[in-house]
């Protein structure tokens, strides 16, 4: 059935090219477009001949005749569209008749591998959700309608070949509904979008079950879609969509109007990709061990040195290429939030706009996948807690329609994701009262504004007086903080009463390899992410000063920077000695680092050098150690500890001013 599936995809391409291609701006452009379409039609005829589908082959030849050079597109376009639809219908009818005649009573397995069905369908389902939201936002735009028609039709063909008849029927009836929209017989409404989204959700369940079966799981393909099919058939048979859904005007701003295309691609199993990246990491470690081997260095052979340098360059390029294979745009996570936002806004009855920027910022694929839950909780809180009702907003002198913004930007080796709203803001007094009631804070405690806001991340904490279907149980923000910290990131919150709240999720670009500065202190080696290092210096006699007889600061170019000794951060076990006495700050090397809004000078014994390190987990048995991001194997085979400066410097404040 592989050839049949390929023919269905080709037919969708032809139909899409006929209906959705932009009108040519010149005769030359029209000729090129017609030539490309003619090639697609010729390929369709060849497939039909190979599969012995006489009706399809003849319809393709008739369409090809219309595409021959001659009359202008404007004169022939209606006939071309009519013939393309006839070709599509004939091919579909012949293929369905063939499959019905050849199908067993109930196939023990699919007519195509479940893996192929899952991969093909998931791509189309992802596009369907975005195209439906685009259509709701811009009902006058015909391109999403054509794209939706093609996607549902392709899934219908895939489902038929795979033997999932209910999924095929759902896709078929949804295709009929969209055909009425495409022909102008039915206007776009929120009820129509709801019904199409319900169809996509059901098809998504079918695909998820197929994926589980492909993995050897016990899942079964869903076959009960009776209510959904009744609604679809009723919608097609009546002028008004049933059931009628209360319409709440929700728009999504910033949605792209044209689908972006990329170069050719090939599907690769993600497990194989992860294995490749791991092996490249091991190769980097092995190359470093060889290059720093004292025996090799003692040879003093120029040719060997040149070969080692060449090996180093190749390894570096291979590492960069492997890492590039893992990165994906953060927009993938943002697009998932569009559907979440729409459903929440409709359920809560609030008017809202979702704006997205920075969708092309790239992150490690694993990080983007693990951002899904935190972002969902953030959007839920912004809609339910952040935004006021339209009447309350108007009383406060605001537009009735609220605004929620998702943005991403690169910053110092991290990607900062911002989730903000222009709602009521956080009530610090109310948060503090709730914290006192729950025993999180003692009565009369003096907390800074930032410390009060941090209380919202406590498990089970909520200021909501009622529990709704959306939120109010105190589950959400603690999950966000925990998940972001698992990614070696951190969460910040800023809020201004009456103006809104902003959450900043700061996550690393990758979880695998970082550029690092290796330092030595007290006989141990520590690894500082290179993007946090601002400068390195040997303090002079007038550089170090003492404040209040205990805190040390460094005066660096008229800027006062707090000095922290490693034993202050990590404990007395890392105390550095010189001639049997503790080493003074003047005898140390100062590494000025920046973590968040803080800049401090770390006093260390020695700077070993810059190195690319492969991050290794310390293991589940150690758990998460605050201030430690992981470990790395260094060039001599020893182990270095990767420090999490945000966790170290931010811990208990250390009396530092931001």
């Amino acid at each position: 059935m592989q050839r049949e599936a390929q023919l269905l995809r080709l037919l969708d391409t032809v139909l899409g090219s006929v209906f959705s291609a932009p009108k040519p701006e010149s005769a030359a452009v029209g000729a090129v477009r017609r030539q490309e379409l003619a090639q697609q039609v010729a390929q369709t005829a060849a497939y039909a001949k190979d599969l012995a589908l006489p009706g399809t082959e003849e319809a393709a030849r008739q369409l090809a005749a219309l595409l021959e050079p001659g009359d202008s597109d404007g004169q022939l376009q209606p006939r071309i569209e009519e013939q393309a639809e006839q070709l599509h219908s004939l091919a579909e009818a012949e293929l369905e008749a063939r499959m019905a005649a050849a199908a067993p009573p109930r196939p023990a397995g699919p007519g195509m591998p479940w893996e192929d069905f899952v991969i093909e369908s998931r791509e189309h389902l992802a596009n369907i959700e975005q195209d439906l939201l685009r259509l709701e936002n811009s009902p006058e735009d015909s391109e999403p309608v054509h794209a939706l028609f093609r996607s549902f039709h392709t899934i219908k063909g895939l489902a038929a070949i795979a033997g999932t008849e209910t999924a095929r029927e759902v896709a078929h009836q949804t295709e009929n509904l969209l055909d009425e929209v495409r022909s102008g017989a039915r206007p776009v409404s929120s009820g129509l979008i709801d019904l199409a989204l319900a169809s996509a959700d059901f098809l998504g369940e079918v695909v998820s079950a197929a994926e589980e079966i492909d993995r050897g799981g016990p899942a079964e393909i869903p076959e009960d879609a009776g209510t959904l099919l009744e609604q679809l058939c009723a919608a097609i048979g009546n002028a008004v969509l049933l059931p009628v859904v209360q319409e709440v005007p929700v728009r999504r701003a910033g949605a792209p109007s044209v689908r972006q295309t990329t170069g050719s691609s090939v599907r690769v199993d993600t497990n194989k990709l992860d294995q490749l990246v791991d092996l490249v990491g091991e190769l980097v470690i092995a190359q470093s061990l060889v290059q720093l081997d004292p025996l090799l260095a003692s040879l003093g052979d120029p040719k060997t040195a040149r070969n080692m340098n060449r090996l180093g360059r190749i390894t570096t390029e291979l590492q960069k290429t492997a890492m590039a294979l893992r990165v994906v745009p953060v927009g993938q996570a943002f697009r998932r939030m569009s559907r979440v936002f729409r459903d929440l806004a409709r359920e809560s009855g609030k008017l809202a706009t979702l704006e997205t920027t920075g969708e092309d910022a790239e992150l490690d694929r694993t990080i983007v996948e693990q951002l899904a839950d935190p972002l969902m909780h953030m959007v839920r809180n912004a809609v339910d807690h952040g935004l006021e009702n339209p009447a309350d907003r108007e009383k406060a002198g605001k537009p009735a329609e609220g605004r929620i913004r998702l943005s991403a930007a690169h910053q110092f080796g991290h990607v900062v994701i911002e989730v903000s709203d222009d709602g009521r803001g956080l009530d610090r007094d109310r948060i503090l009262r709730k914290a006192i009631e729950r025993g999180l804070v003692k009565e009369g405690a003096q907390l800074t504004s930032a410390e009060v806001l941090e209380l919202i991340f406590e498990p089970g904490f909520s200021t909501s007086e009622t529990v709704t279907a959306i939120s109010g149980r105190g589950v959400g923000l603690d999950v966000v903080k925990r998940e972001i910290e698992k990614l070696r990131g951190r969460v910040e919150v800023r809020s201004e009463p009456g103006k809104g709240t902003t959450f900043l999720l700061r996550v690393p670009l990758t979880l695998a390899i970082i550029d690092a500065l290796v330092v030595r202190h007290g006989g141990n080696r520590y690894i500082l992410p290179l993007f946090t290092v601002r400068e390195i210096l040997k303090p002079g006699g007038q550089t170090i000063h003492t404040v209040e007889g205990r805190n040390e600061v460094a005066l660096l170019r008229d800027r006062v920077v707090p000095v922290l000794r490693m034993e202050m951060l990590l404990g007395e076990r890392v105390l550095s000695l010189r001639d049997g006495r503790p080493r003074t700050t003047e005898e140390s090397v100062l590494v000025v680092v920046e973590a968040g809004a803080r800049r401090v000078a770390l006093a260390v014994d020695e700077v070993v050098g810059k190195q690319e390190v492969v991050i290794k987990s310390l293991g589940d048995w150690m758990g998460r150690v605050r201030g430690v991001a992981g470990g790395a194997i260094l060039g001599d085979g020893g182990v270095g500890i990767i420090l999490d400066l945000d966790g170290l410097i931010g811990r208990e404040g250390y009396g530092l001013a931001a």
Side-chain angles (χ1 to χ4, degrees):
M1 292 293 180
Q2 293 294 331
R3 301 282 288 176
E4 286 84 348
Q6 291 171 346
L7 176 59
L8 283 173
R9 288 193 288 271
L10 185 57
L11 286 165
D12 291 334
T13 302
V14 170
L15 198 62
S17 299
V18 169
F19 279 94
S20 62
K23 295 298 182 291
E25 299 178 358
S26 67
V29 173
V32 171
R33 187 177 74 86
R34 180 176 291 190
Q35 183 180 7
E36 292 176 350
L37 182 57
Q39 291 174 352
Q40 295 170 354
V41 173
Q43 189 177 1
T44 302
Y47 269 107
K49 182 178 181 180
D50 183 51
L51 293 170
L53 301 174
T56 301
E57 183 182 0
E58 179 58 28
R61 294 187 185 281
Q62 293 177 13
L63 179 56
L66 293 174
L67 295 171
E68 292 179 357
D71 296 331
S72 66
D73 270 356
Q75 295 172 324
L76 283 177
Q77 186 64 23
R79 292 179 59 193
I80 291 175
E81 292 178 357
E82 181 182 356
Q83 185 62 33
E85 287 191 321
Q86 183 179 355
L87 167 63
H88 203 276
S89 300
L90 278 170
E92 183 181 68
E94 289 186 338
L95 283 174
E96 286 184 352
R98 171 175 296 185
M99 287 184 290
R106 179 62 180 163
M112 66 186 300
W114 284 126
E115 181 182 8
D116 293 347
F117 172 71
V118 169
I119 292 174
E120 292 274 356
S121 300
R122 281 214 186 281
E123 290 180 0
H124 288 286
L125 286 172
N127 292 332
I128 283 172
E129 192 164 284
Q130 293 308 304
D131 288 331
L132 284 170
L133 295 175
R134 286 171 54 200
L135 181 61
E136 184 177 43
N137 188 43
S138 304
E140 70 285 351
D141 188 0
S142 62
E143 196 278 334
V145 180
H146 297 312
L148 286 165
F149 186 86
R150 294 194 301 271
S151 294
F152 274 107
H153 181 79
T154 301
I155 292 178
K156 178 180 73 172
L158 294 171
I161 296 173
T164 57
E165 287 302 314
T166 305
R168 187 202 67 80
E169 186 62 25
V170 167
H172 178 62
Q173 296 300 338
T174 309
E175 179 188 27
N176 290 338
L177 184 65
L178 291 167
D179 190 39
E180 293 186 3
V181 176
R182 187 176 63 171
S183 65
R186 181 183 300 279
V188 176
S189 67
S190 293
L192 181 143
I193 300 296
D194 286 340
L195 199 50
L197 285 171
S199 298
D201 289 341
F202 175 79
L203 295 173
E205 293 177 6
V206 173
V207 172
S208 296
E211 185 175 31
E212 187 64 27
I213 293 173
D214 184 54
R215 293 174 177 173
E220 295 182 0
I221 297 295
E223 292 295 338
D224 184 13
T227 304
L228 176 59
L229 286 171
E230 288 175 6
Q231 293 175 1
L232 286 166
C233 292
I236 298 168
N238 300 320
V240 180
L241 270 177
L242 298 175
V244 177
V245 181
Q246 180 182 1
E247 295 192 13
V248 178
V250 179
R251 297 185 290 104
R252 179 176 183 266
S257 59
V258 179
R259 183 174 301 163
Q260 297 180 349
T261 58
T262 59
S264 60
S265 60
V266 60
R267 297 189 184 96
V268 179
D269 187 285
T270 54
N271 292 327
K272 295 178 181 178
L273 187 60
D274 291 340
Q275 185 180 13
L276 171 64
V277 174
D278 289 341
L279 289 174
V280 170
E282 296 297 333
L283 177 62
V284 171
I285 294 173
Q287 185 266 338
S288 180
L289 290 172
V290 173
Q291 192 166 25
L292 297 179
D293 191 314
L295 180 60
L296 186 65
S298 66
L299 295 177
D301 182 18
K303 183 177 180 181
T304 301
R306 287 195 303 272
N307 290 338
M308 289 304 303
N309 289 334
R310 184 167 181 267
L311 175 62
R313 289 194 301 272
I314 294 174
T315 303
T316 300
E317 289 301 318
L318 178 61
Q319 172 196 327
K320 291 179 180 178
T321 302
M323 295 306 300
L325 295 175
R326 283 178 62 118
V327 299
V328 295
V330 73
Q332 289 190 9
F334 284 5
R335 285 192 291 273
R336 296 179 191 174
M337 295 306 107
S338 301
R339 173 72 182 280
V340 173
F341 166 77
R342 177 188 184 273
D343 293 345
L344 289 173
R346 290 176 62 84
E347 186 175 345
S348 64
K350 295 178 179 179
L351 308 183
T353 298
L354 178 66
E355 298 178 359
T356 58
T357 58
E359 295 168 294
D360 56 346
E362 292 186 326
L363 273 172
D364 189 290
R365 176 183 57 81
T366 304
I367 296 178
V368 171
E369 290 175 353
Q370 295 183 19
L371 278 173
D373 282 347
L375 283 178
M376 182 185 69
H377 288 301
M378 292 283 90
V379 172
R380 279 178 175 270
N381 276 278
V383 172
D384 197 43
H385 292 303
L387 296 181
E388 310 96 328
N389 292 320
D392 294 336
R393 290 182 64 86
E394 290 178 342
K395 288 180 182 178
K398 297 180 179 181
E401 185 177 66
R403 182 175 63 88
I404 295 175
R405 184 170 179 265
L406 280 176
S407 67
H410 288 278
Q411 189 180 98
F412 300 122
H414 284 71
V415 167
V416 178
I417 297 174
E418 177 182 315
V419 185
S420 62
D421 64 73
D422 63 349
R424 60 175 61 90
L426 295 174
D427 188 336
R428 290 170 173 79
D429 293 336
R430 189 177 181 186
I431 292 173
L432 187 56
R433 287 197 305 271
K434 284 286 185 179
I436 293 173
E437 291 175 7
R438 293 196 56 222
L440 298 173
V441 177
K442 293 182 179 179
E443 187 77 36
Q446 298 297 318
L447 300 180
T448 65
S449 177
E451 289 171 337
V452 172
L453 294 181
E454 283 291 321
L455 293 171
I456 65 177
F457 294 105
E458 290 293 326
F461 186 88
S462 176
T463 59
S464 180
E465 300 295 341
T466 59
V467 176
T468 69
I470 299 176
S471 61
R473 299 184 184 275
V475 179
L477 291 181
D478 62 314
V479 174
V480 171
K481 187 174 183 180
R482 185 169 63 250
E483 292 299 317
I484 296 300
E485 287 180 347
K486 284 182 182 178
L487 298 174
R488 302 200 315 275
R490 60 191 177 92
V491 185
E492 299 175 21
V493 57
R494 303 169 185 169
S495 184
E496 189 171 348
K499 294 188 177 180
T501 304
T502 298
F503 289 89
L504 299 175
L505 312 181
R506 194 182 304 271
V507 294
L509 292 173
T510 178
L511 299 176
I513 299 175
I514 59 170
D515 288 326
L517 183 72
V518 183
V519 301
R520 190 188 305 274
H521 190 83
N524 299 316
R525 286 175 295 181
Y526 302 95
I527 297 169
L528 307 174
L530 195 61
F531 63 82
T532 65
V533 178
R534 294 293 164 262
E535 60 181 310
I536 304 169
L537 69 151
K538 184 73 176 176
Q542 302 299 317
T543 304
I544 307 299
H545 303 272
T546 304
V547 179
E548 297 180 353
R550 56 189 181 90
N551 292 332
E552 291 182 314
V553 297
L555 184 61
L556 304 175
R557 287 178 290 282
D558 298 327
R559 178 172 180 173
V560 176
V561 178
V563 176
L564 291 179
R565 298 184 58 79
M566 295 293 285
E567 51 265 30
M568 293 174 59
L569 296 176
L570 303 175
E572 291 296 327
R573 292 185 179 181
V574 301
L575 180 64
S576 177
L577 301 177
R578 183 170 184 176
D579 300 328
R581 59 175 176 79
R583 188 186 297 264
T584 65
T585 304
E586 287 78 4
E587 296 170 333
S588 302
V589 177
L590 296 184
V591 180
V592 181
V593 298
E594 191 171 70
R598 303 182 190 275
R599 180 172 290 194
V600 302
L602 296 180
V604 301
D605 291 351
E606 176 189 359
V607 174
V608 178
K610 172 185 173 297
Q611 184 177 338
E612 285 185 333
V613 299
V614 180
I615 300 172
K616 297 291 185 181
S617 170
L618 297 180
D620 294 337
W621 62 275
M622 284 194 67
R624 178 173 175 81
V625 181
R626 188 166 189 176
V628 176
I633 301 175
L634 301 177
D636 60 358
V639 175
I641 300 298
I642 303 172
L643 298 181
D644 173 16
L645 295 175
D646 283 337
L648 283 175
I649 297 173
R651 187 179 55 161
E652 300 174 2
Y654 277 101
L656 303 176

